[in-house]
């Protein structure tokens, strides 16, 4: 055992290791995956320095500067939070901020299905995303070269359904349960 890293304590029923402020987690490389668009992914964290060796505790994904590119906040053991700005290229996008009326206010549990051409994407609103983590309640869809969202179906936790058609891209849409039209929020 390294000096100053830990000490054995007699608990009366055996010994435990008191490591003080240290962590037993391994210090591993962070990984960041890129969707290749063909049902495969490539690890690209090394390209922009996101593959740092740290003792990760939390991660949040959100569009901090409203440019349509999702950014990442990392929180590591005994370190300040770090923001990784997404400066990569991006196609078109659409985001949704839902407000429940009959359902819960944050629309947790709502399912959003978005169609562009013959392609569908699905998101479910969740309140947490991992150990000590929670991402934005805004639901983001990358839609590449599409110039509009042809159809959006929102199944609310209350059982109500909202269907929206021909939505403009590259903006945030606010949708309230029970209201037929969406409004651009940005």
């Amino acid at each position: 055992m390294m000096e100053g890293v830990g000490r054995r304590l007699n608990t009366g029923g055996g010994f435990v290791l008191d490591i003080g402020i240290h962590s037993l987690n391994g210090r591993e490389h962070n990984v960041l995956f890129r969707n290749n668009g063909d049902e495969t992914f490539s690890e690209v964290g090394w390209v922009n320095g996101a593959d740092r060796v740290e003792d990760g505790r939390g991660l949040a994904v959100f569009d901090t500067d409203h440019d349509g590119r999702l950014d990442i906040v990392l929180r590591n053991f005994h370190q300040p939070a770090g923001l990784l700005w997404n400066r990569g290229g991006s196609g078109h996008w659409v985001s949704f901020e839902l407000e429940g009326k009959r359902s819960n206010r944050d629309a947790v549990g709502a399912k959003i299905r978005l169609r562009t051409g013959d392609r569908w994407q699905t998101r479910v609103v969740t309140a947490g995303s991992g150990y000590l983590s929670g991402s934005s309640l805004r639901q983001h869809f990358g839609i590449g070269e599409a110039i509009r969202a042809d159809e959006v179906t929102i199944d609310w936790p209350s059982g109500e359904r909202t269907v929206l058609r021909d939505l403009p891209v590259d903006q945030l849409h606010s949708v309230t349960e029970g209201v037929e039209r969406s409004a651009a929020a940005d």
Side-chain angles (χ1 to χ4, degrees):
M1 182 174 355
M2 293 175 51
E3 188 65 34
V5 171
R7 58 191 166 113
R8 289 175 49 147
L9 299 174
N10 187 341
T11 63
F15 288 91
V16 296
L17 179 64
D18 175 9
I19 62 169
I21 64 168
H22 303 285
S23 170
L24 290 177
N25 285 346
R27 299 186 65 77
E28 301 162 355
H29 283 274
N30 293 331
V31 293
L32 183 62
F33 291 97
R34 179 188 67 213
N35 183 337
N36 297 322
D38 61 359
E39 299 182 8
T40 65
F41 295 83
S42 297
E43 204 288 305
V44 296
W46 59 273
V47 172
N48 60 9
D51 66 338
R52 301 180 300 224
V53 176
E54 297 171 323
D55 192 356
R57 288 294 190 259
L59 174 129
V61 178
F62 66 107
D63 185 2
T64 188
D65 53 1
H66 308 289
D67 64 358
R69 297 178 296 210
L70 296 176
D71 307 302
I72 299 172
V73 172
L74 297 171
R75 179 66 173 96
N76 296 296
F77 188 65
H78 285 302
Q79 294 177 351
L83 176 62
L84 300 177
W85 293 87
N86 184 346
R87 296 292 182 228
S90 98
H92 294 293
W93 57 276
V94 179
S95 290
F96 296 91
E97 187 170 74
L98 305 183
E99 179 183 351
K101 291 296 184 184
R102 286 184 52 218
S103 301
N104 60 81
R105 171 101 165 76
D106 291 328
V108 172
K111 180 169 79 171
I112 305 171
R113 295 195 69 221
L114 178 137
R115 180 178 62 81
T116 53
D118 62 349
R119 300 183 74 183
W120 286 92
Q121 296 183 58
T122 303
R123 301 277 183 276
V124 176
V125 180
T126 60
S129 58
Y131 177 68
L132 296 177
S133 301
S135 294
S136 174
L137 292 171
R138 290 181 176 178
Q139 302 303 301
H140 180 89
F141 294 83
I143 59 174
E145 298 303 315
I147 57 171
R148 71 176 182 275
D150 296 319
E151 181 179 338
V152 176
T153 303
I154 303 167
D155 290 318
W156 299 88
S158 67
E160 186 168 332
R161 175 174 276 182
T162 301
V163 178
L164 307 165
R165 289 184 172 79
D166 297 322
L167 294 178
V169 299
D170 299 334
Q171 63 184 0
L172 171 66
H173 295 274
S174 294
V175 182
T176 302
E177 184 178 20
V179 176
E180 289 300 314
R181 305 186 86 214
S182 74
D186 279 347

